[in-house]
Amino acid sequence: MSNLFSLDGKVALITGAAHGIGYEMAKSLALAGAKIAFNSSNLESMKKGLESYKAEGIDAKGYVCDVTDEVAVSNMVSQIEKELGVIDILVNNAGIIKRIPMCDTTLSEFKQVIDVDLVAPFICAKAVIPSMIKKGGGKIINICSMMSELGRETVSAYAAAKGGLKMLTKNIASEYGEYNIQCNGIGPGYIATSQTAPLREKQPDGSRHPFDSFIISKTPAARWGKPEDLAGPTVFLASNASDFVNGHILYVDGGILAYIGKQPK
Ligand code: NAP
Ligand code: GCO
């Protein structure tokens, strides 16, 4: 059975994996045998990331690359091919959020979120697919969200981008499935990382942030997710164990999307 999940000899690029969800996903791929390449938007974060991998005994390669810059992504991919080999697994994880009521969101803010969360996965997938085809296959995992399915106040650009990313996932699966490329999504629920830190900040009186309590009540598991909760699903979607799974979004949300909510007492 372990052969089915083994990533021995595979090369994985995980975008935005110096910390947070990307870092934990990369660690799980490394533990399954893959060679790891990751990028950050800046040098300081990339160096910190490299130190974290080193402390875990993982020999990762770090790059500084803005995922919205097509030329920079293409250069990074060529460099990874030279240094580690053809990329077998791409995890489109880099992402940002802006929490602003829609009518107060400027066009440039809206476009910035769409660029990082939707356009960049297109750029990165386009950069790796030709070599995957030549090699005979590959795996692309797009990090979606609860907001690929649900809306909420203040996250219009993020929801539009993550909803679009769900459909980009299905389209890549449709277009490149015949080349043995599987493109699936992971839709994390509410995970405790720097992205969601403002939603978990303690109140001045020490009590929970109202959004924190709201998420606990909306989640059947009654807790926030941890980045480690994504390890198993990531290895599954990166390995031969998922060779006939294509265009699927695997929600890892402690049950949020299945739940109508607590009935009033
Ligand atoms: P995070 O800790 O803020 O990580 C985001 C990563 O994206 C960082 O590593 C950052 O790089 C990178 N990044 C942002 N813009 C970039 C750019 N232009 N070029 C290159 N890298 C860029 O947040 P996270 O919670 O781990 O989020 C990771 C992914 O999961 C995101 O796509 C997010 O939307 C998604 N997600 C998160 C949650 C959650 O509850 N936390 C739930 C569902 C989905 P630096 O190293 O430079 O900082
Ligand atoms: C928010 C959150 C979410 C989560 C996540 C949910 O403000 O509602 O930040 O968008 O980060 O994507 O799956």
PDB file of all heavy atoms in Angstrom, residues 16 18-21 39-42 45 65-67 93-96 116 143-145 158 162 188-191 193-196, ligand 1:
ATOM      1  N   GLY A  16       4.549  29.737  -2.475  1.00  0.00           N
ATOM      2  CA  GLY A  16       4.260  30.388  -1.185  1.00  0.00           C
ATOM      3  C   GLY A  16       4.377  29.430  -0.019  1.00  0.00           C
ATOM      4  O   GLY A  16       3.500  29.410   0.845  1.00  0.00           O
ATOM      5  N   ALA A  18       6.959  29.107   2.360  1.00  0.00           N
ATOM      6  CA  ALA A  18       7.952  29.387   3.401  1.00  0.00           C
ATOM      7  C   ALA A  18       7.326  29.225   4.779  1.00  0.00           C
ATOM      8  O   ALA A  18       8.008  29.012   5.774  1.00  0.00           O
ATOM      9  CB  ALA A  18       8.496  30.802   3.243  1.00  0.00           C
ATOM     10  N   HIS A  19       6.002  29.339   4.839  1.00  0.00           N
ATOM     11  CA  HIS A  19       5.285  29.224   6.126  1.00  0.00           C
ATOM     12  C   HIS A  19       3.832  28.848   5.847  1.00  0.00           C
ATOM     13  O   HIS A  19       3.422  28.728   4.682  1.00  0.00           O
ATOM     14  CB  HIS A  19       5.368  30.548   6.916  1.00  0.00           C
ATOM     15  CG  HIS A  19       4.942  31.761   6.125  1.00  0.00           C
ATOM     16  ND1 HIS A  19       3.644  32.188   6.034  1.00  0.00           N
ATOM     17  CD2 HIS A  19       5.658  32.624   5.343  1.00  0.00           C
ATOM     18  CE1 HIS A  19       3.571  33.268   5.265  1.00  0.00           C
ATOM     19  NE2 HIS A  19       4.794  33.553   4.829  1.00  0.00           N
ATOM     20  N   GLY A  20       3.057  28.676   6.925  1.00  0.00           N
ATOM     21  CA  GLY A  20       1.614  28.452   6.777  1.00  0.00           C
ATOM     22  C   GLY A  20       1.271  27.117   6.143  1.00  0.00           C
ATOM     23  O   GLY A  20       1.991  26.124   6.262  1.00  0.00           O
ATOM     24  N   ILE A  21       0.144  27.111   5.434  1.00  0.00           N
ATOM     25  CA  ILE A  21      -0.391  25.886   4.830  1.00  0.00           C
ATOM     26  C   ILE A  21       0.603  25.300   3.817  1.00  0.00           C
ATOM     27  O   ILE A  21       0.844  24.091   3.784  1.00  0.00           O
ATOM     28  CB  ILE A  21      -1.752  26.218   4.148  1.00  0.00           C
ATOM     29  CG1 ILE A  21      -2.826  26.467   5.217  1.00  0.00           C
ATOM     30  CG2 ILE A  21      -2.165  25.120   3.187  1.00  0.00           C
ATOM     31  CD1 ILE A  21      -4.173  26.909   4.661  1.00  0.00           C
ATOM     32  N   ASN A  39       8.736  28.830  -3.349  1.00  0.00           N
ATOM     33  CA  ASN A  39       9.099  30.236  -3.549  1.00  0.00           C
ATOM     34  C   ASN A  39       8.416  31.103  -2.510  1.00  0.00           C
ATOM     35  O   ASN A  39       7.436  30.689  -1.864  1.00  0.00           O
ATOM     36  CB  ASN A  39       8.710  30.704  -4.950  1.00  0.00           C
ATOM     37  CG  ASN A  39       7.221  30.869  -5.073  1.00  0.00           C
ATOM     38  OD1 ASN A  39       6.484  29.899  -4.979  1.00  0.00           O
ATOM     39  ND2 ASN A  39       6.767  32.093  -5.249  1.00  0.00           N
ATOM     40  N   SER A  40       8.973  32.303  -2.372  1.00  0.00           N
ATOM     41  CA  SER A  40       8.389  33.347  -1.522  1.00  0.00           C
ATOM     42  C   SER A  40       8.322  34.610  -2.354  1.00  0.00           C
ATOM     43  O   SER A  40       9.015  34.722  -3.367  1.00  0.00           O
ATOM     44  CB  SER A  40       9.303  33.649  -0.336  1.00  0.00           C
ATOM     45  OG  SER A  40       9.316  32.591   0.551  1.00  0.00           O
ATOM     46  N   SER A  41       7.566  35.588  -1.855  1.00  0.00           N
ATOM     47  CA  SER A  41       7.509  36.848  -2.592  1.00  0.00           C
ATOM     48  C   SER A  41       8.737  37.706  -2.292  1.00  0.00           C
ATOM     49  O   SER A  41       9.021  38.637  -3.024  1.00  0.00           O
ATOM     50  CB  SER A  41       6.235  37.613  -2.232  1.00  0.00           C
ATOM     51  OG  SER A  41       6.267  37.987  -0.875  1.00  0.00           O
ATOM     52  N   ASN A  42       9.469  37.404  -1.198  1.00  0.00           N
ATOM     53  CA  ASN A  42      10.655  38.213  -0.858  1.00  0.00           C
ATOM     54  C   ASN A  42      11.735  37.349  -0.232  1.00  0.00           C
ATOM     55  O   ASN A  42      11.478  36.251   0.268  1.00  0.00           O
ATOM     56  CB  ASN A  42      10.246  39.365   0.067  1.00  0.00           C
ATOM     57  CG  ASN A  42       9.732  38.855   1.400  1.00  0.00           C
ATOM     58  OD1 ASN A  42      10.510  38.499   2.281  1.00  0.00           O
ATOM     59  ND2 ASN A  42       8.411  38.767   1.553  1.00  0.00           N
ATOM     60  N   SER A  45      11.626  36.227   3.688  1.00  0.00           N
ATOM     61  CA  SER A  45      10.709  35.116   3.959  1.00  0.00           C
ATOM     62  C   SER A  45      11.268  33.801   3.408  1.00  0.00           C
ATOM     63  O   SER A  45      11.185  32.751   4.055  1.00  0.00           O
ATOM     64  CB  SER A  45       9.350  35.434   3.321  1.00  0.00           C
ATOM     65  OG  SER A  45       8.455  34.414   3.566  1.00  0.00           O
ATOM     66  N   CYS A  65      10.247  34.652  -6.039  1.00  0.00           N
ATOM     67  CA  CYS A  65       9.518  34.787  -7.313  1.00  0.00           C
ATOM     68  C   CYS A  65       8.111  35.280  -7.037  1.00  0.00           C
ATOM     69  O   CYS A  65       7.380  34.693  -6.221  1.00  0.00           O
ATOM     70  CB  CYS A  65       9.478  33.413  -8.003  1.00  0.00           C
ATOM     71  SG  CYS A  65       8.459  33.380  -9.474  1.00  0.00           S
ATOM     72  N   ASP A  66       7.727  36.360  -7.715  1.00  0.00           N
ATOM     73  CA  ASP A  66       6.350  36.846  -7.633  1.00  0.00           C
ATOM     74  C   ASP A  66       5.521  36.003  -8.601  1.00  0.00           C
ATOM     75  O   ASP A  66       5.756  36.032  -9.820  1.00  0.00           O
ATOM     76  CB  ASP A  66       6.329  38.338  -8.032  1.00  0.00           C
ATOM     77  CG  ASP A  66       4.929  38.916  -8.040  1.00  0.00           C
ATOM     78  OD1 ASP A  66       3.949  38.149  -7.935  1.00  0.00           O
ATOM     79  OD2 ASP A  66       4.817  40.150  -8.174  1.00  0.00           O
ATOM     80  N   VAL A  67       4.564  35.267  -8.068  1.00  0.00           N
ATOM     81  CA  VAL A  67       3.814  34.324  -8.917  1.00  0.00           C
ATOM     82  C   VAL A  67       2.910  35.010  -9.942  1.00  0.00           C
ATOM     83  O   VAL A  67       2.365  34.354 -10.830  1.00  0.00           O
ATOM     84  CB  VAL A  67       2.977  33.329  -8.078  1.00  0.00           C
ATOM     85  CG1 VAL A  67       3.843  32.258  -7.460  1.00  0.00           C
ATOM     86  CG2 VAL A  67       2.127  34.028  -7.033  1.00  0.00           C
ATOM     87  N   ASN A  93      -0.388  27.265  -4.146  1.00  0.00           N
ATOM     88  CA  ASN A  93      -0.813  27.603  -2.789  1.00  0.00           C
ATOM     89  C   ASN A  93      -0.751  29.099  -2.490  1.00  0.00           C
ATOM     90  O   ASN A  93      -1.548  29.597  -1.699  1.00  0.00           O
ATOM     91  CB  ASN A  93       0.079  26.847  -1.787  1.00  0.00           C
ATOM     92  CG  ASN A  93      -0.066  27.392  -0.384  1.00  0.00           C
ATOM     93  OD1 ASN A  93      -1.065  27.147   0.284  1.00  0.00           O
ATOM     94  ND2 ASN A  93       0.923  28.162   0.073  1.00  0.00           N
ATOM     95  N   ALA A  94       0.196  29.835  -3.101  1.00  0.00           N
ATOM     96  CA  ALA A  94       0.360  31.260  -2.776  1.00  0.00           C
ATOM     97  C   ALA A  94      -0.982  31.970  -2.900  1.00  0.00           C
ATOM     98  O   ALA A  94      -1.720  31.761  -3.868  1.00  0.00           O
ATOM     99  CB  ALA A  94       1.381  31.899  -3.718  1.00  0.00           C
ATOM    100  N   GLY A  95      -1.300  32.788  -1.914  1.00  0.00           N
ATOM    101  CA  GLY A  95      -2.585  33.483  -1.968  1.00  0.00           C
ATOM    102  C   GLY A  95      -2.622  34.652  -1.000  1.00  0.00           C
ATOM    103  O   GLY A  95      -1.851  34.710  -0.045  1.00  0.00           O
ATOM    104  N   ILE A  96      -3.518  35.593  -1.287  1.00  0.00           N
ATOM    105  CA  ILE A  96      -3.732  36.736  -0.379  1.00  0.00           C
ATOM    106  C   ILE A  96      -5.232  36.953  -0.214  1.00  0.00           C
ATOM    107  O   ILE A  96      -6.039  36.440  -1.013  1.00  0.00           O
ATOM    108  CB  ILE A  96      -3.089  38.047  -0.906  1.00  0.00           C
ATOM    109  CG1 ILE A  96      -3.621  38.409  -2.310  1.00  0.00           C
ATOM    110  CG2 ILE A  96      -1.574  37.947  -0.928  1.00  0.00           C
ATOM    111  CD1 ILE A  96      -3.242  39.829  -2.765  1.00  0.00           C
ATOM    112  N   VAL A 116      -3.210  37.353  -7.759  1.00  0.00           N
ATOM    113  CA  VAL A 116      -2.444  36.367  -6.969  1.00  0.00           C
ATOM    114  C   VAL A 116      -3.214  35.050  -6.846  1.00  0.00           C
ATOM    115  O   VAL A 116      -2.634  33.968  -6.965  1.00  0.00           O
ATOM    116  CB  VAL A 116      -2.123  36.918  -5.554  1.00  0.00           C
ATOM    117  CG1 VAL A 116      -1.317  35.889  -4.755  1.00  0.00           C
ATOM    118  CG2 VAL A 116      -1.339  38.224  -5.644  1.00  0.00           C
ATOM    119  N   ILE A 143      -5.044  25.310  -4.414  1.00  0.00           N
ATOM    120  CA  ILE A 143      -5.591  25.527  -3.076  1.00  0.00           C
ATOM    121  C   ILE A 143      -6.771  26.492  -3.162  1.00  0.00           C
ATOM    122  O   ILE A 143      -6.614  27.696  -3.378  1.00  0.00           O
ATOM    123  CB  ILE A 143      -4.506  26.012  -2.082  1.00  0.00           C
ATOM    124  CG1 ILE A 143      -3.353  24.993  -2.061  1.00  0.00           C
ATOM    125  CG2 ILE A 143      -5.098  26.181  -0.683  1.00  0.00           C
ATOM    126  CD1 ILE A 143      -3.757  23.524  -1.830  1.00  0.00           C
ATOM    127  N   CYS A 144      -7.948  25.907  -3.031  1.00  0.00           N
ATOM    128  CA  CYS A 144      -9.215  26.647  -3.120  1.00  0.00           C
ATOM    129  C   CYS A 144      -9.607  27.116  -1.719  1.00  0.00           C
ATOM    130  O   CYS A 144      -8.736  27.451  -0.925  1.00  0.00           O
ATOM    131  CB  CYS A 144     -10.265  25.758  -3.779  1.00  0.00           C
ATOM    132  SG  CYS A 144      -9.825  25.278  -5.466  1.00  0.00           S
ATOM    133  N   SER A 145     -10.875  27.113  -1.394  1.00  0.00           N
ATOM    134  CA  SER A 145     -11.318  27.720  -0.127  1.00  0.00           C
ATOM    135  C   SER A 145     -12.777  27.377   0.109  1.00  0.00           C
ATOM    136  O   SER A 145     -13.475  26.935  -0.813  1.00  0.00           O
ATOM    137  CB  SER A 145     -11.146  29.243  -0.255  1.00  0.00           C
ATOM    138  OG  SER A 145     -11.873  29.935   0.720  1.00  0.00           O
ATOM    139  N   TYR A 158     -11.763  37.807  -3.074  1.00  0.00           N
ATOM    140  CA  TYR A 158     -11.242  36.486  -2.700  1.00  0.00           C
ATOM    141  C   TYR A 158     -12.216  35.393  -3.154  1.00  0.00           C
ATOM    142  O   TYR A 158     -11.811  34.380  -3.733  1.00  0.00           O
ATOM    143  CB  TYR A 158     -11.050  36.464  -1.180  1.00  0.00           C
ATOM    144  CG  TYR A 158     -10.381  35.231  -0.625  1.00  0.00           C
ATOM    145  CD1 TYR A 158      -8.986  35.089  -0.665  1.00  0.00           C
ATOM    146  CD2 TYR A 158     -11.119  34.220  -0.012  1.00  0.00           C
ATOM    147  CE1 TYR A 158      -8.362  33.970  -0.126  1.00  0.00           C
ATOM    148  CE2 TYR A 158     -10.501  33.103   0.535  1.00  0.00           C
ATOM    149  CZ  TYR A 158      -9.125  32.980   0.477  1.00  0.00           C
ATOM    150  OH  TYR A 158      -8.503  31.868   1.015  1.00  0.00           O
ATOM    151  N   LYS A 162     -11.352  32.515  -5.752  1.00  0.00           N
ATOM    152  CA  LYS A 162     -11.334  31.102  -5.350  1.00  0.00           C
ATOM    153  C   LYS A 162     -12.443  30.306  -6.053  1.00  0.00           C
ATOM    154  O   LYS A 162     -12.289  29.114  -6.313  1.00  0.00           O
ATOM    155  CB  LYS A 162     -11.446  30.977  -3.828  1.00  0.00           C
ATOM    156  CG  LYS A 162     -10.239  31.541  -3.063  1.00  0.00           C
ATOM    157  CD  LYS A 162      -8.966  30.734  -3.286  1.00  0.00           C
ATOM    158  CE  LYS A 162      -7.830  31.205  -2.378  1.00  0.00           C
ATOM    159  NZ  LYS A 162      -6.595  30.435  -2.555  1.00  0.00           N
ATOM    160  N   PRO A 188      -9.393  24.132   1.897  1.00  0.00           N
ATOM    161  CA  PRO A 188      -9.271  24.105   3.361  1.00  0.00           C
ATOM    162  C   PRO A 188     -10.436  24.870   4.003  1.00  0.00           C
ATOM    163  O   PRO A 188     -10.939  25.843   3.440  1.00  0.00           O
ATOM    164  CB  PRO A 188      -7.947  24.843   3.630  1.00  0.00           C
ATOM    165  CG  PRO A 188      -7.243  24.925   2.302  1.00  0.00           C
ATOM    166  CD  PRO A 188      -8.319  24.935   1.262  1.00  0.00           C
ATOM    167  N   GLY A 189     -10.847  24.398   5.171  1.00  0.00           N
ATOM    168  CA  GLY A 189     -11.815  25.178   5.961  1.00  0.00           C
ATOM    169  C   GLY A 189     -11.081  26.322   6.619  1.00  0.00           C
ATOM    170  O   GLY A 189     -10.149  26.889   6.045  1.00  0.00           O
ATOM    171  N   TYR A 190     -11.479  26.683   7.824  1.00  0.00           N
ATOM    172  CA  TYR A 190     -10.800  27.783   8.519  1.00  0.00           C
ATOM    173  C   TYR A 190      -9.598  27.234   9.274  1.00  0.00           C
ATOM    174  O   TYR A 190      -9.745  26.457  10.211  1.00  0.00           O
ATOM    175  CB  TYR A 190     -11.787  28.522   9.425  1.00  0.00           C
ATOM    176  CG  TYR A 190     -12.592  29.505   8.596  1.00  0.00           C
ATOM    177  CD1 TYR A 190     -13.681  29.082   7.833  1.00  0.00           C
ATOM    178  CD2 TYR A 190     -12.216  30.835   8.523  1.00  0.00           C
ATOM    179  CE1 TYR A 190     -14.384  29.970   7.033  1.00  0.00           C
ATOM    180  CE2 TYR A 190     -12.914  31.737   7.730  1.00  0.00           C
ATOM    181  CZ  TYR A 190     -13.990  31.298   6.985  1.00  0.00           C
ATOM    182  OH  TYR A 190     -14.675  32.179   6.189  1.00  0.00           O
ATOM    183  N   ILE A 191      -8.403  27.622   8.805  1.00  0.00           N
ATOM    184  CA  ILE A 191      -7.142  27.069   9.302  1.00  0.00           C
ATOM    185  C   ILE A 191      -6.374  28.179  10.027  1.00  0.00           C
ATOM    186  O   ILE A 191      -6.299  29.314   9.528  1.00  0.00           O
ATOM    187  CB  ILE A 191      -6.279  26.536   8.119  1.00  0.00           C
ATOM    188  CG1 ILE A 191      -7.107  25.680   7.129  1.00  0.00           C
ATOM    189  CG2 ILE A 191      -5.055  25.781   8.632  1.00  0.00           C
ATOM    190  CD1 ILE A 191      -7.575  24.353   7.617  1.00  0.00           C
ATOM    191  N   THR A 193      -3.627  30.208  10.576  1.00  0.00           N
ATOM    192  CA  THR A 193      -2.358  30.663   9.968  1.00  0.00           C
ATOM    193  C   THR A 193      -2.328  32.190  10.075  1.00  0.00           C
ATOM    194  O   THR A 193      -3.288  32.802  10.561  1.00  0.00           O
ATOM    195  CB  THR A 193      -2.269  30.302   8.464  1.00  0.00           C
ATOM    196  OG1 THR A 193      -3.256  31.062   7.764  1.00  0.00           O
ATOM    197  CG2 THR A 193      -2.468  28.817   8.210  1.00  0.00           C
ATOM    198  N   SER A 194      -1.248  32.794   9.522  1.00  0.00           N
ATOM    199  CA  SER A 194      -1.179  34.260   9.580  1.00  0.00           C
ATOM    200  C   SER A 194      -2.330  34.903   8.801  1.00  0.00           C
ATOM    201  O   SER A 194      -2.778  35.994   9.132  1.00  0.00           O
ATOM    202  CB  SER A 194       0.173  34.753   9.056  1.00  0.00           C
ATOM    203  OG  SER A 194       0.414  34.242   7.769  1.00  0.00           O
ATOM    204  N   GLN A 195      -2.817  34.201   7.755  1.00  0.00           N
ATOM    205  CA  GLN A 195      -3.913  34.796   6.966  1.00  0.00           C
ATOM    206  C   GLN A 195      -5.177  35.000   7.809  1.00  0.00           C
ATOM    207  O   GLN A 195      -5.927  35.949   7.598  1.00  0.00           O
ATOM    208  CB  GLN A 195      -4.254  33.898   5.753  1.00  0.00           C
ATOM    209  CG  GLN A 195      -5.204  34.582   4.783  1.00  0.00           C
ATOM    210  CD  GLN A 195      -5.769  33.642   3.730  1.00  0.00           C
ATOM    211  OE1 GLN A 195      -6.690  32.864   3.994  1.00  0.00           O
ATOM    212  NE2 GLN A 195      -5.226  33.720   2.532  1.00  0.00           N
ATOM    213  N   THR A 196      -5.424  34.087   8.749  1.00  0.00           N
ATOM    214  CA  THR A 196      -6.654  34.170   9.539  1.00  0.00           C
ATOM    215  C   THR A 196      -6.402  34.711  10.953  1.00  0.00           C
ATOM    216  O   THR A 196      -7.341  34.792  11.745  1.00  0.00           O
ATOM    217  CB  THR A 196      -7.334  32.783   9.636  1.00  0.00           C
ATOM    218  OG1 THR A 196      -6.352  31.834  10.093  1.00  0.00           O
ATOM    219  CG2 THR A 196      -7.887  32.335   8.306  1.00  0.00           C
TER     220      THR A 196
HETATM  221  P1  NAP B   1      -0.111  32.705   4.537  1.00  0.00           P
HETATM  222  O1  NAP B   1       0.603  32.131   5.715  1.00  0.00           O
HETATM  223  O2  NAP B   1      -0.363  34.160   4.472  1.00  0.00           O
HETATM  224  O3  NAP B   1       0.660  32.228   3.219  1.00  0.00           O
HETATM  225  C1  NAP B   1       0.461  32.800   1.975  1.00  0.00           C
HETATM  226  C2  NAP B   1       1.662  32.520   1.109  1.00  0.00           C
HETATM  227  O4  NAP B   1       1.472  33.094  -0.181  1.00  0.00           O
HETATM  228  C3  NAP B   1       2.928  33.131   1.683  1.00  0.00           C
HETATM  229  O5  NAP B   1       3.925  32.133   1.685  1.00  0.00           O
HETATM  230  C4  NAP B   1       3.301  34.236   0.706  1.00  0.00           C
HETATM  231  O6  NAP B   1       4.690  34.374   0.491  1.00  0.00           O
HETATM  232  C5  NAP B   1       2.669  33.718  -0.575  1.00  0.00           C
HETATM  233  N1  NAP B   1       2.408  34.797  -1.529  1.00  0.00           N
HETATM  234  C6  NAP B   1       1.471  35.768  -1.461  1.00  0.00           C
HETATM  235  N2  NAP B   1       1.552  36.578  -2.546  1.00  0.00           N
HETATM  236  C7  NAP B   1       2.578  36.105  -3.311  1.00  0.00           C
HETATM  237  C8  NAP B   1       3.151  36.511  -4.535  1.00  0.00           C
HETATM  238  N3  NAP B   1       2.695  37.545  -5.234  1.00  0.00           N
HETATM  239  N4  NAP B   1       4.188  35.776  -5.034  1.00  0.00           N
HETATM  240  C9  NAP B   1       4.665  34.715  -4.359  1.00  0.00           C
HETATM  241  N5  NAP B   1       4.149  34.288  -3.177  1.00  0.00           N
HETATM  242  C10 NAP B   1       3.122  34.979  -2.663  1.00  0.00           C
HETATM  243  O7  NAP B   1      -1.555  32.066   4.391  1.00  0.00           O
HETATM  244  P2  NAP B   1      -2.085  30.561   4.418  1.00  0.00           P
HETATM  245  O8  NAP B   1      -3.268  30.592   5.291  1.00  0.00           O
HETATM  246  O9  NAP B   1      -1.010  29.594   4.640  1.00  0.00           O
HETATM  247  O10 NAP B   1      -2.632  30.460   2.914  1.00  0.00           O
HETATM  248  C11 NAP B   1      -2.117  29.604   1.930  1.00  0.00           C
HETATM  249  C12 NAP B   1      -3.189  29.379   0.871  1.00  0.00           C
HETATM  250  O11 NAP B   1      -4.302  28.719   1.462  1.00  0.00           O
HETATM  251  C13 NAP B   1      -3.749  30.656   0.245  1.00  0.00           C
HETATM  252  O12 NAP B   1      -4.026  30.443  -1.117  1.00  0.00           O
HETATM  253  C14 NAP B   1      -5.047  30.858   1.014  1.00  0.00           C
HETATM  254  O13 NAP B   1      -5.969  31.621   0.319  1.00  0.00           O
HETATM  255  C15 NAP B   1      -5.489  29.436   1.166  1.00  0.00           C
HETATM  256  N6  NAP B   1      -6.459  29.188   2.229  1.00  0.00           N
HETATM  257  C16 NAP B   1      -6.211  29.540   3.515  1.00  0.00           C
HETATM  258  C17 NAP B   1      -7.155  29.234   4.492  1.00  0.00           C
HETATM  259  C18 NAP B   1      -6.969  29.560   5.929  1.00  0.00           C
HETATM  260  O14 NAP B   1      -7.949  29.448   6.683  1.00  0.00           O
HETATM  261  N7  NAP B   1      -5.798  29.930   6.381  1.00  0.00           N
HETATM  262  C19 NAP B   1      -8.326  28.574   4.137  1.00  0.00           C
HETATM  263  C20 NAP B   1      -8.539  28.251   2.795  1.00  0.00           C
HETATM  264  C21 NAP B   1      -7.602  28.557   1.852  1.00  0.00           C
HETATM  265  P3  NAP B   1       5.740  35.044   1.508  1.00  0.00           P
HETATM  266  O15 NAP B   1       6.631  33.897   1.891  1.00  0.00           O
HETATM  267  O16 NAP B   1       6.460  36.046   0.711  1.00  0.00           O
HETATM  268  O17 NAP B   1       4.981  35.577   2.671  1.00  0.00           O
END
